[in-house]
Amino acid sequence: MKSITLTQFLTEERRAGYGSTDLTQLLEVVARACKRIGVATGKGALGGVLGEAGSDNVQGEAQKKLDVLSNEILLDANAWGGHLAACASEEMADPQPIPDAYPKGGYLLLFDPLDGSSNIDVNIAVGTIFSVLRRPQGHRQDVSVNEFLQPGTQQVAAGYVVYGPSTLLVLTLGHGTHVFTLDREVGSFILTRRDATIPEETSEFAVNMSNQRYWEPPMQRYVDDLLAGKEGPRERDFNMRWVASMVADVHRILTRGGIFSYPLDSKIAAKGGKLRLMYEANPMAFIVEQAGGAASTGRGRIMDLQPEALHQRVPVFLGSKAEVETAERYHLDA
């Protein structure tokens, strides 16, 4: 069977009426930048990029050297193409406009440059998550934060890249979720799974059990019932998986089903949740929904939320549709 490269796939999508020339070129730039991040990640200790950077990000979290490097790679790669008006990153307090020396386009790019970076030093899969929005009509020359504050339903594309045993790009343009594998010998992403589908039912769940004592009562009951197995109200055994790298956990769910949960707990209640709506929850929700899954805060659809701040956090339940709906019922019936 003839290999279909990312470039060919995006070109065919555009001809079918999905996306634009600028969007195609933007996604190719992001993919090239992620290949560079993958190379740096793959060198590990040989590249001198392991360990702490000695700085904190906007959330007050210690940055890894690769956090900083990955952020710079994505910013530099997207500065000059003419497809973007501005970028926003989990690692930066404010959006970064395209430099005045370059033309500005009609899209906005948001990204988590290196999700799961706490796992870098122990050689566990990490990744990049990104989301693309159209810049609102009638915009001024300068880009405001408010232009980024669009609900997830307004995304025109979203994706993630997993840097693991193989480097995978998972992408949606709003009609299906597709998986590409990096052929390192030729340097191209090749389509290896078209229209990925998440099984509706599952017997696997992913959650950080160390936070159990801080969870809300509905979450406590939900997990207690999962752990009760065949003898409990769910009447079947569940397996737990937890990588602590969202891209790795979500990709497992995309591949074989499951539910990923990062619920609200008393430690993070004041922040509204753990995961960032704009950089993690919305793009992952878009990808999962396009694969037939569901994504909820526990009390409503993630992508229906109207963002209130660039670094807003939310609870997250996503994955197999029936199981996400079950988890949501526990919270809504409380």
Side-chain angles (χ1 to χ4, degrees):
M1 186 176 67
K2 183 181 176 182
S3 296
I4 298 175
T5 65
L6 176 64
T7 299
Q8 179 182 346
F9 174 85
L10 292 173
T11 301
E12 292 173 352
E13 292 289 283
R14 187 181 72 244
R15 289 171 180 163
Y18 301 105
S20 63
T21 300
D22 276 359
L23 180 60
T24 294
Q25 293 173 347
L26 167 58
L27 293 172
E28 289 182 331
V29 169
V30 172
R32 286 198 296 272
C34 289
K35 284 190 279 188
R36 288 184 58 196
I37 295 171
V39 169
T41 304
K43 287 181 179 178
L46 299 176
V49 293
L50 299 185
E52 305 286 344
S55 58
D56 292 343
N57 64 14
V58 64
Q59 284 87 21
E61 300 162 336
Q63 291 177 305
K64 297 288 187 178
K65 292 177 183 177
L66 266 174
D67 280 322
V68 176
L69 177 62
S70 301
N71 194 64
E72 291 174 351
I73 287 173
L74 280 160
L75 290 175
D76 291 346
N78 285 284
W80 54 270
H83 320 304
L84 286 175
C87 296
S89 167
E90 183 181 306
E91 301 297 326
M92 305 186 305
D94 301 305
Q96 178 161 310
I98 297 303
D100 291 337
Y102 301 114
K104 289 183 174 62
Y107 291 102
L108 304 170
L109 177 67
L110 303 99
F111 52 81
D112 179 352
L114 202 65
D115 174 75
S117 58
S118 61
N119 285 321
I120 292 169
D121 294 352
V122 292
N123 201 29
I124 290 174
V126 294
T128 297
I129 309 170
F130 62 91
S131 170
V132 182
L133 298 167
R134 284 191 184 89
R135 194 176 183 195
Q137 296 297 316
H139 55 71
R140 301 175 301 168
Q141 179 67 14
D142 295 332
V143 180
S144 70
V145 171
N146 286 338
E147 293 181 50
F148 284 89
L149 302 183
Q150 302 178 41
T153 52
Q154 297 302 304
Q155 294 174 103
V156 295
Y160 64 80
V161 177
V162 186
Y163 311 113
S166 58
T167 298
L168 303 175
L169 166 65
V170 177
L171 179 67
T172 183
L173 280 73
H175 65 108
T177 294
H178 315 287
V179 182
F180 301 80
T181 302
L182 179 62
D183 185 335
R184 293 189 174 105
E185 294 180 357
V186 299
S188 297
F189 279 106
I190 306 298
L191 180 65
T192 48
R193 190 179 175 199
R194 188 188 288 271
D195 293 317
T197 303
I198 298 172
E200 186 170 344
E201 301 281 351
T202 185
S203 294
E204 286 191 352
F205 68 103
V207 69
N208 185 351
M209 288 293 292
S210 68
N211 292 325
Q212 184 175 17
R213 64 192 184 278
Y214 302 111
W215 291 339
E216 295 178 302
M219 186 64 185
Q220 296 273 7
R221 290 193 295 273
Y222 172 63
V223 173
D224 283 347
D225 288 350
L226 296 180
L227 295 175
K230 292 179 180 178
E231 293 76 22
R234 299 300 304 278
E235 298 181 339
R236 69 178 188 270
D237 292 332
F238 284 80
N239 290 326
M240 191 185 83
R241 301 286 184 265
W242 183 249
V243 181
S245 172
M246 188 183 189
V247 288
D249 279 311
V250 172
H251 191 70
R252 183 186 61 253
I253 288 167
L254 183 71
T255 303
R256 69 187 195 199
I259 181 171
F260 170 92
S261 306
Y262 217 117
L264 193 65
D265 65 50
S266 59
K267 289 193 305 179
I268 56 175
K271 296 179 178 180
K274 173 68 174 178
L275 300 178
R276 287 76 175 177
L277 174 63
M278 305 299 290
Y279 309 106
E280 295 164 319
N282 266 343
M284 286 304 201
F286 193 20
I287 291 164
V288 165
E289 285 194 8
Q290 286 298 313
S296 172
T297 63
R299 294 176 171 87
R301 186 186 182 205
I302 286 173
M303 291 208 299
D304 285 339
L305 290 175
Q306 173 59 52
E308 299 176 355
L310 195 58
H311 297 283
Q312 180 177 344
R313 302 183 191 225
V314 294
V316 172
F317 297 81
L318 59 78
S320 294
K321 187 175 182 179
E323 194 58 38
V324 171
E325 291 172 349
T326 298
E328 191 174 63
R329 281 199 302 272
Y330 275 77
H331 287 76
L332 293 176
D333 293 344

